[in-house]
Amino acid sequence: MMHAEYNGKDLQGMVLRLEKSSVYDGEGFRTVVFLKGCPLRCQWCSTPESQSPEIETTQDGAITYGKMMTVEEVLVEVRKDSLFYFHSNGGMTVSGGEILAQPDFVLALLRRACFEVIDTCIETSLYADWKIVEPILDVVDSAFVDLKFVTEELHKKYTGISNRRILENLRKAGACNLGEKIIIRTPLIPGVNDSEEELEKIGRFVGGQAHIHHIQLLPYHRLGTDTYRKLGRPYLLADVEIPTPEHMEWCRSVVASSSGLHVM
Ligand code: SF4
């Protein structure tokens, strides 16, 4: 019997959805476990249905977001693609919402996946106490860390919270087991965080951390617009222009020259 009894298999978490065969969230083919609940309120958030930790239904009652699942129930789904992981160096990625908002569930899920030799990756803002962050970083194979601003005032204005804890956790992350397997993801929002000054700050901060593998700049998009409408919530950045490829290249060059890192 492969799956012996293990601690935490009955722990429940609020799952938004599972996505199979993703190639954007880590190495190889991945099963991405999207969790529900996030303490941030980024004005550009393209997944507003992931923010509340509660089950939500669209105004017309047609779609329900969120489902309680046990660690074992998630892993039953994840294991189904083991062959794909083996042939592509893929595995399981846990994303949000914010995964650190459900630390016990996430830790149990990651530990069990590691025990079953399933590659593990997380996507997180690192917004949590270090005592929550550290054991999770110690168990994963790689991590995407979303860094939206370095300027605290801008972070507060556009996400609702200070970024002090995030920057501090990113500095400390270098001491964890995953070594240089941290990738920074910065959503590029025109008129919000794409000034030369802010991009240089981001580049200098990230370049000053020895444990960052590379940086990804992700262009702003409006894919969440319809979901805001269905949930009856305002989309504050609905009028922001999509950045052109030329502007993205300029932003990448600014971050690359100020960080000394490869920027995608
Ligand atoms: S951290 Fe991610 S999930 Fe949370 S509000 Fe910001 S964009 Fe949305």
Side-chain angles (χ1 to χ4, degrees):
M1 184 71 182
M2 179 188 168
H3 308 299
E5 286 300 305
Y6 62 90
N7 290 336
K9 73 171 183 169
D10 294 325
L11 275 177
Q12 287 195 318
M14 178 61 82
V15 176
L16 180 63
R17 66 175 188 277
L18 270 64
E19 198 169 297
K20 299 274 189 170
S21 304
S22 169
V23 291
Y24 301 109
D25 299 290
E27 211 179 332
F29 284 103
R30 324 276 316 172
T31 295
V32 187
V33 184
F34 289 97
L35 302 184
K36 194 160 154 46
C38 179
L40 282 70
R41 288 294 176 268
C42 306
Q43 292 188 12
W44 59 85
C45 182
S46 62
T47 54
E49 75 278 22
S50 74
Q51 293 177 348
S52 165
E54 310 292 335
I55 291 176
E56 271 177 301
T57 304
T58 51
Q59 285 187 314
D60 61 5
I63 306 172
T64 296
Y65 298 111
K67 179 184 177 189
M68 293 302 288
M69 293 179 77
T70 65
V71 166
E72 179 60 20
E73 284 169 340
V74 172
L75 282 168
V76 164
E77 293 303 314
V78 171
R79 289 182 197 116
K80 287 178 182 171
D81 283 348
S82 295
L83 204 58
F84 292 116
Y85 310 149
F86 179 77
H87 287 292
S88 69
N89 292 325
M92 176 183 75
T93 298
V94 189
S95 184
E98 172 49 64
I99 68 161
L100 300 174
Q102 301 186 60
D104 295 341
F105 176 74
V106 168
L107 197 54
L109 180 61
L110 291 168
R111 280 186 173 148
R112 185 60 195 182
C114 285
F115 181 75
E116 295 182 20
V117 202
I118 296 171
D119 183 271
T120 55
C121 178
I122 55 171
E123 180 165 12
T124 172
S125 69
L126 287 187
Y127 184 71
D129 285 344
W130 178 246
K131 64 177 188 296
I132 286 175
V133 177
E134 187 178 24
I136 289 178
L137 288 183
D138 269 338
V139 81
V140 293
D141 294 302
S142 58
F144 292 103
V145 174
D146 297 339
L147 183 66
K148 303 140 195 334
F149 304 91
V150 166
T151 304
E152 185 182 10
E153 286 315 307
L154 289 176
H155 203 280
K156 276 187 189 164
K157 177 178 175 183
Y158 286 103
T159 74
I161 58 155
S162 162
N163 59 354
R164 282 192 195 176
R165 182 187 262 179
I166 291 169
L167 298 181
E168 191 52 36
N169 285 343
L170 194 49
R171 286 190 193 97
K172 290 177 178 171
C176 291
N177 287 341
L178 78 174
E180 294 177 16
K181 290 205 169 172
I182 295 180
I183 296 162
I184 298 295
R185 275 185 164 169
T186 297
L188 203 288
I189 320 294
V192 173
N193 67 350
D194 67 337
S195 69
E196 188 164 8
E197 183 188 0
E198 191 60 25
L199 292 173
E200 283 181 346
K201 279 188 185 179
I202 291 171
R204 280 198 299 274
F205 179 82
V206 176
Q209 315 304 316
H211 50 285
I212 306 300
H213 190 269
H214 69 272
I215 304 172
Q216 298 179 352
L217 294 191
L218 307 181
Y220 169 76
H221 60 74
R222 299 196 195 106
L223 295 180
T225 308
D226 200 40
T227 313
Y228 279 95
R229 186 183 56 74
K230 286 178 179 162
L231 289 171
R233 288 168 49 184
Y235 184 22
L236 299 177
L237 297 189
D239 294 331
V240 169
E241 292 294 321
I242 308 292
T244 63
E246 293 74 25
H247 186 56
M248 288 302 301
E249 270 321 296
W250 176 80
C251 294
R252 288 189 179 103
S253 70
V254 173
V255 177
S257 59
S258 51
S259 67
L261 290 167
H262 178 52
V263 181
M264 296 172 64

